[in-house]
Amino acid sequence: MLARILLIFIAVITFFPAHSQVETLNRKAAGYRGIWYFIGATKNEYAYKYSGGLGTYPANHYPFSVYAPAVQRTFFCYGGVTDSTSRELCHLIGFFDHKTGMVSRPTLLLNKQTDDAHDNPIIQIDNQGYIWIFSTSHGTERPSFIHRSRKPYDIDTFDRIDANRQNEKGETVPFSNFSYVQSYYQNGRGFFNLMTHYDRNVLVYGANKPRRTIAYITSPDGKNWSAWQDIAIIEEGHYQSSGQKGNKIGSAFNYHPNTKVGAGLDYRTNLYYVETDDFGKSWHTADGKPVQLPLKDTLNPALVNDYRKLRQNVYIGDVNYDSQNRPIILYITSKGPEPGPGNGPYEWHVAHWTGQHWDIHTVTQSDHNYDMGSLYVEGNLWRIIGSVEAGPQPFGTGGELAMLESRDAGKTWKSVKTVTQNSVRNHTYPRRPVAANPGFYAFWADGNARKPSASFLYFGNRQGQVFQLPAEMKADFEKPVVVK
């Protein structure tokens, strides 16, 4: 009997080997340093499928920063390290005070016990000012965590939340694992989180290969969560990005075709969009036609454009809404997943629902599949801040950031500002804050795309001025460093 109990105990700690080691630390870090991460080593001069300073990666995590008007602070989180020699992913939180122009010393929340930037955290603030951190996991091998600040608008101390959810049988089970989370908060309703869960033994090819199933889950209080509701289960699964305006929440996603041989998850194509106005009770396409979830067929009413027919990959960056609350999707297309000029052109597009049809316009070109930008809409002015220009490591993830603008609903674009230039490392994943304040308008990291390097954190204002968050702090509050 004792031997059997021991075997069960070993099985539990093997499934979540880091769970007992991940402690809520609540201590101050020395300064701001981001995580350097890579995936997919290549045999050519480009070194990796993607790599670099990925503290605000991936595009399927949102938000990394939230502006709180009540205290005039932008709160932000990121995947970082304790010093430039470490590769252990830590979750850290800081804030920028718009009244003083000072940035706080970051709070080290936890060490995730991995080097995988897919486990990066996201942040949200509820209607009472409590700050929530969702610590995601890449797949099911590691646990996920939810923390809430002990005091409103305060980052000194966080408490771990023992959350639960309903399973498909209506039973209450621990909510201990979630991937690729995008979190939205609505007053009177609570949290609406889009996420991914991993389903095994459901694919045509690959008996134990997981399908990335995109879903959503809701909670009035961050502790008690609904059962997850699947959005789509097309072939091998999906990546989704999303946006919110008012009560509307929309999901844009691609899909992975079933392939007996081939690129597998690197083959991601097609562009879909669905939305809800009633916190997930019902869903419809951009033209208001109801859809029954989960979507199962490649050709369905949510299809924006058939890129499989064009043999193109699709990488979704951001979702936003025009002045009439109509969706706009920012994304990149290419010929394949491997880095380098052979799979170009890496074209940036916006797909805009006009009220009658989807208008698709090409914005610009860059040099990598995992370049990324954020889309801002201010009346009739659309603005993109993204890594569209070649950086010091060309054909690597990221590059130099530029600001582009359109005043004709995305039909034509003009580069109005070179945000970064003459950099040593590529700049990656500039992220749009929730309710972005002009003084803290985008948040990102840098890193060498060819080899492990230090990674630093930056933010920019709406004029395109860049500030580096201090890597070493001598006081609890310091001025960020102006980058000239």
Side-chain angles (χ1 to χ4, degrees):
M1 183 66 179
L2 182 60
R4 185 177 180 182
I5 293 173
L6 181 61
L7 286 173
I8 293 172
F9 175 74
I10 292 172
V12 169
I13 64 172
T14 301
F15 183 69
F16 282 153
H19 187 250
S20 61
Q21 304 171 31
V22 177
E23 299 177 1
T24 303
L25 300 174
N26 284 327
R27 64 172 183 251
K28 296 300 178 181
Y32 290 90
R33 294 182 181 272
I35 185 78
W36 188 95
Y37 176 69
F38 83 93
I39 197 168
T42 67
K43 296 181 180 180
N44 56 34
E45 66 269 34
Y46 308 112
Y48 308 107
K49 183 174 76 172
Y50 61 87
S51 59
L54 300 186
T56 58
Y57 162 91
N60 323 95
H61 285 193
Y62 186 79
F64 282 92
S65 50
V66 181
Y67 175 62
V71 291
Q72 298 181 51
R73 292 175 174 176
T74 296
F75 295 87
F76 54 89
C77 69
Y78 61 97
V81 294
T82 53
D83 63 74
S84 59
T85 65
S86 174
R87 293 283 301 279
E88 291 189 331
L89 173 68
C90 295
H91 290 183
L92 298 106
I93 305 100
F95 66 82
F96 175 71
D97 191 314
H98 294 265
K99 300 188 298 293
T100 65
M102 308 279 272
V103 65
S104 69
R105 187 187 294 271
T107 295
L108 173 59
L109 178 63
L110 56 83
N111 183 323
K112 198 61 165 58
Q113 303 295 323
T114 180
D115 66 352
D116 190 344
H118 290 86
D119 281 33
N120 277 344
I122 63 165
I123 190 171
Q124 193 51 270
I125 301 178
D126 67 22
N127 62 349
Q128 295 180 305
Y130 289 99
I131 301 164
W132 294 76
I133 302 295
F134 296 89
S135 296
T136 65
S137 297
H138 190 201
T140 58
E141 286 73 23
R142 293 183 294 274
S144 306
F145 306 102
I146 301 174
H147 286 81
R148 189 187 75 167
S149 63
R150 191 166 294 175
K151 299 177 182 178
Y153 306 115
D154 185 276
I155 66 167
D156 286 343
T157 307
F158 288 80
D159 296 313
R160 186 173 296 182
I161 301 299
D162 291 325
N164 60 68
R165 67 173 180 86
Q166 302 298 306
N167 65 15
E168 61 278 5
K169 298 179 181 179
E171 301 166 334
T172 300
V173 297
F175 189 25
S176 58
N177 182 261
F178 41 83
S179 302
Y180 298 109
V181 173
Q182 299 135 60
S183 181
Y184 301 96
Y185 188 84
Q186 294 184 6
N187 288 339
R189 287 174 165 170
F191 293 93
F192 187 104
N193 285 10
L194 296 113
M195 53 162 287
T196 298
H197 62 91
Y198 287 65
D199 292 331
R200 296 187 181 274
N201 302 315
V202 296
L203 300 180
V204 175
Y205 305 117
N208 198 37
K209 187 166 62 172
R211 178 182 65 204
R212 284 167 165 80
T213 303
I214 55 173
Y216 67 96
I217 191 166
T218 64
S219 172
D221 57 8
K223 300 178 182 179
N224 303 290
W225 294 80
S226 68
W228 56 53
Q229 304 292 322
D230 294 342
I231 294 173
I233 52 172
I234 302 171
E235 298 193 13
E236 292 198 6
H238 314 269
Y239 288 110
Q240 70 177 338
S241 295
S242 59
Q244 177 185 30
K245 186 176 182 181
N247 289 332
K248 179 178 288 189
I249 296 172
S251 170
F253 55 95
N254 54 22
Y255 90 107
H256 306 296
N258 277 326
T259 52
K260 190 172 184 179
V261 294
L265 291 175
D266 281 335
Y267 185 14
R268 55 193 71 179
T269 190
N270 279 5
L271 181 64
Y272 303 91
Y273 175 83
V274 292
E275 64 185 30
T276 178
D277 297 308
D278 55 12
F279 218 61
K281 293 178 181 178
S282 64
W283 289 80
H284 51 266
T285 56
D287 61 359
K289 293 179 180 177
V291 291
Q292 187 66 40
L293 302 186
L295 298 167
K296 300 177 182 179
D297 300 317
T298 55
L299 300 177
N300 65 66
L303 181 65
V304 175
N305 200 34
D306 188 347
Y307 282 102
R308 185 173 188 178
K309 183 171 60 178
L310 300 174
R311 297 181 179 272
Q312 290 185 337
N313 272 22
V314 173
Y315 302 81
I316 303 168
D318 200 5
V319 178
N320 209 331
Y321 295 87
D322 68 12
S323 58
Q324 296 178 283
N325 215 16
R326 296 168 177 167
I328 314 160
I329 308 167
L330 174 65
Y331 61 102
I332 294 175
T333 59
S334 73
K335 294 177 183 176
E338 297 84 6
N343 279 318
Y346 301 93
E347 290 192 324
W348 294 49
H349 310 273
V350 287
H352 175 221
W353 178 252
T354 66
Q356 297 179 329
H357 57 271
W358 285 100
D359 263 358
I360 296 177
H361 303 289
T362 299
V363 177
T364 187
Q365 294 183 6
S366 62
D367 62 8
H368 199 270
N369 285 315
Y370 291 87
D371 290 331
M372 188 267 177
S374 288
L375 175 65
Y376 303 75
V377 179
E378 298 169 3
N380 293 325
L381 172 63
W382 298 5
R383 181 180 288 119
I384 293 171
I385 297 177
S387 53
V388 299
E389 297 184 3
Q393 293 88 47
F395 297 104
T397 312
E400 299 286 16
L401 301 188
M403 183 184 294
L404 302 92
E405 292 181 353
S406 173
R407 296 180 182 270
D408 56 6
K411 296 180 180 65
T412 60
W413 292 82
K414 180 173 68 173
S415 180
V416 298
K417 178 78 175 181
T418 300
V419 178
T420 65
Q421 54 188 324
N422 302 319
S423 303
V424 176
R425 296 166 295 273
N426 282 4
H427 294 266
T428 53
Y429 288 85
R431 310 309 297 267
R432 172 171 52 92
V434 174
N437 181 289
F440 193 110
Y441 200 64
F443 175 48
W444 71 91
D446 73 355
N448 192 302
R450 298 282 190 270
K451 60 183 179 180
S453 73
S455 173
F456 300 102
L457 281 301
Y458 303 83
F459 71 92
N461 62 24
R462 191 162 58 185
Q463 287 69 45
Q465 189 176 20
V466 176
F467 303 85
Q468 181 183 331
L469 298 175
E472 298 289 339
M473 297 183 68
K474 297 179 180 179
D476 287 339
F477 293 91
E478 291 185 9
K479 290 276 188 180
V481 180
V482 178
V483 178
K484 298 183 179 180

